[in-house]
Amino acid sequence: MAVNNRVNMIDGIRGFSLFGILMANLLIFQYGLFGKDEISLLSLSATDLFAYKLIKIFIEGSFMPIFTFLFGYGMIKMKESLERKELKVKRHFVRRFIFLGAIGLVHSTLLWEGDILLLYGMMGFFLLLFMNRKSKTVLVWGIILLLLTSLFGYGNESGTIEDKAILEQYVKDTFEIYGSGTYNEITYHRNNVDPLNLPDYMYLVLLLLAPIASAPLFLLGMYAAKKQRFTDPAKEHDLYIKYALFFVPIGLLLKSLVYIIPNQSWVGIGSLLGANMLSLGYIYLMALGYKQGTLLFKSFEAVGKLSMTNYLLQTVICTTIFYGYGLGLFGKLGIVNAFFLGIIIYSLQVSLSYLYLKRFRSGPFEKMIRIWTYFTLSGKPRIKAAIENKRIA
């Protein structure tokens, strides 16, 4: 399989993940990061409640890990590319992660609390520890962390009466402020009001644990790249079938347990483990069904090639629709209507991405990160300079 075809497949899977990310994030855009899980406060209709459960099982928590898997996969491919061009590997990665962290910090502070780019920037430095490790070592650590981090789901979500009252009041305030507040009021509420009632040191602990909690799929993506997965669909066809048939049903079952046998302290473990397993299943299912040139996959590819730009564009569009400084539909649209809205938004992104790529090779944010990573206005590495310096040495 040609390198270009392999890249197209990865872009297609990345574009597919952005569709699911949008659908999951519409819960946050419409109900808030904490409000989306306080179902008793949402006043959902029977139809919306059913749709809510379907999104929780099939989508939420299982599309963002696809993105993280591809981030790890892309790291190894970028490392291989840098080494072929005789460029300093870690130097370029450090620049890239600083850029991601900076964009993520701005995104989360000024626009939306559901940002992932800051985490990716932090995570990148952690992943440098595994970049030169053997594929088996990366796989073992990925599996160990997958099992260990799933244990975070153990226990019933309980707390003191005071904690519950604080969270409930926060959600109610969020509905009012986000739905009718000004940009400054919404930004202040997002950045300064604490809904968890935690001591200050706990936030430092959570910050330090974040890379470990999200590490498994990053590492499994690195492993897949080291093993040259997704390079020969014909040869790997049986592998795609085996993994898809294994991970998808088990992932769905584990995520469904919270509704099948609720109020059990251990089902949260199944939810976390199942979310990641379903992500792997979706990846191999997409690889199995990938056919270059079909309209569906060309649509996914177009969005995936501009993944960072489209991810940030989703924030701009959705906050404008739901927040008070826009249309003010926060908490008013409903789950089913929001799902169809998501299809419209994604279809718009497909069209815009396709038209944009007719004229340009990379999106604005993709171009910016390349300029910063390589320290060139063209966004291309200085290959000749690197080789010349080696000859002189």
Side-chain angles (χ1 to χ4, degrees), residues 9 286-298 301:
M9 176 188 282
M286 277 292 292
L288 178 64
Y290 180 82
K291 293 184 183 300
Q292 187 182 15
T294 62
L295 179 61
L296 179 62
F297 281 93
K298 285 179 72 69
E301 285 174 19

Side-chain angles (χ1 to χ4, degrees), residues 270-298:
S271 294
L272 292 180
L273 181 60
N276 285 314
M277 294 184 75
L278 185 57
S279 298
L280 293 171
Y282 283 157
I283 290 169
Y284 286 101
L285 196 61
M286 277 292 292
L288 178 64
Y290 180 82
K291 293 184 183 300
Q292 187 182 15
T294 62
L295 179 61
L296 179 62
F297 281 93
K298 285 179 72 69

Side-chain angles (χ1 to χ4, degrees), residues 10-38:
I10 296 303
D11 285 334
I13 297 174
R14 186 178 289 113
F16 170 69
S17 73
L18 274 173
F19 173 75
I21 288 170
L22 172 61
M23 292 303 178
N25 284 346
L26 278 168
L27 290 177
I28 305 177
F29 285 123
Q30 183 172 196
Y31 299 112
L33 186 61
F34 295 93
K36 70 179 179 64
D37 294 318
E38 298 301 311

Side-chain angles (χ1 to χ4, degrees), residues 90-102:
K90 290 187 178 180
R91 177 184 301 174
H92 288 81
F93 274 120
V94 167
R95 293 174 189 163
R96 190 176 187 87
F97 299 149
I98 289 174
F99 182 90
L100 284 173

Side-chain angles (χ1 to χ4, degrees), residues 136-363:
K136 184 177 180 180
T137 301
V138 175
L139 176 63
V140 169
W141 273 103
I143 294 174
I144 290 174
L145 290 177
L146 178 64
L147 297 175
L148 288 178
T149 54
S150 297
L151 297 178
F152 293 164
Y154 181 80
N156 293 315
E157 292 186 4
S158 58
T160 66
I161 296 176
E162 180 186 4
D163 290 338
K164 291 180 178 179
I166 291 174
L167 181 58
E168 183 173 331
Q169 187 59 51
Y170 174 84
V171 172
K172 290 179 179 178
D173 291 343
T174 299
F175 269 66
E176 180 179 351
I177 295 171
Y178 278 39
S180 59
T182 64
Y183 172 81
N184 287 335
E185 290 171 337
I186 292 172
T187 302
Y188 179 86
H189 180 75
R190 178 174 60 246
N191 295 328
N192 296 281
V193 181
D194 178 16
L196 300 179
N197 195 31
L198 295 175
D200 292 341
Y201 74 89
M202 279 302 299
Y203 288 98
L204 177 60
V205 172
L206 292 174
L207 185 64
L208 294 175
L209 285 177
I212 298 175
S214 59
L217 268 290
F218 283 104
L219 292 175
L220 293 180
M222 295 175 75
Y223 168 78
K226 285 176 176 286
K227 299 297 288 185
Q228 302 301 317
R229 294 283 189 264
F230 312 111
T231 56
D232 191 342
K235 183 179 179 181
E236 297 176 334
H237 182 267
D238 291 344
L239 182 71
Y240 298 162
I241 294 177
K242 180 174 67 174
Y243 284 164
L245 289 178
F246 176 76
F247 286 118
V248 171
I250 293 180
L252 289 173
L253 176 61
L254 290 174
K255 291 186 72 178
S256 301
L257 290 178
V258 67
Y259 299 110
I260 298 173
I261 44 177
N263 302 319
Q264 298 294 319
S265 57
W266 57 271
V267 295
I269 298 175
S271 294
L272 292 180
L273 181 60
N276 285 314
M277 294 184 75
L278 185 57
S279 298
L280 293 171
Y282 283 157
I283 290 169
Y284 286 101
L285 196 61
M286 277 292 292
L288 178 64
Y290 180 82
K291 293 184 183 300
Q292 187 182 15
T294 62
L295 179 61
L296 179 62
F297 281 93
K298 285 179 72 69
S299 300
F300 287 143
E301 285 174 19
V303 175
K305 290 179 187 295
L306 310 176
S307 57
M308 184 186 297
T309 297
N310 276 315
Y311 170 72
L312 295 171
L313 181 60
Q314 288 176 0
T315 295
V316 174
I317 293 173
C318 291
T319 52
T320 301
I321 291 172
F322 290 107
Y323 288 4
Y325 54 79
L327 299 181
L329 294 181
F330 193 88
K332 299 175 182 177
L333 196 60
I335 306 294
V336 174
N337 290 334
F339 181 82
F340 288 110
L341 173 65
I343 293 176
I344 293 172
I345 293 172
Y346 190 81
S347 299
L348 176 63
Q349 289 191 294
V350 168
S351 300
L352 292 176
S353 298
Y354 182 78
L355 292 173
Y356 183 91
L357 289 170
K358 286 285 188 180
R359 297 191 59 185
F360 305 99
R361 296 188 62 181
S362 60

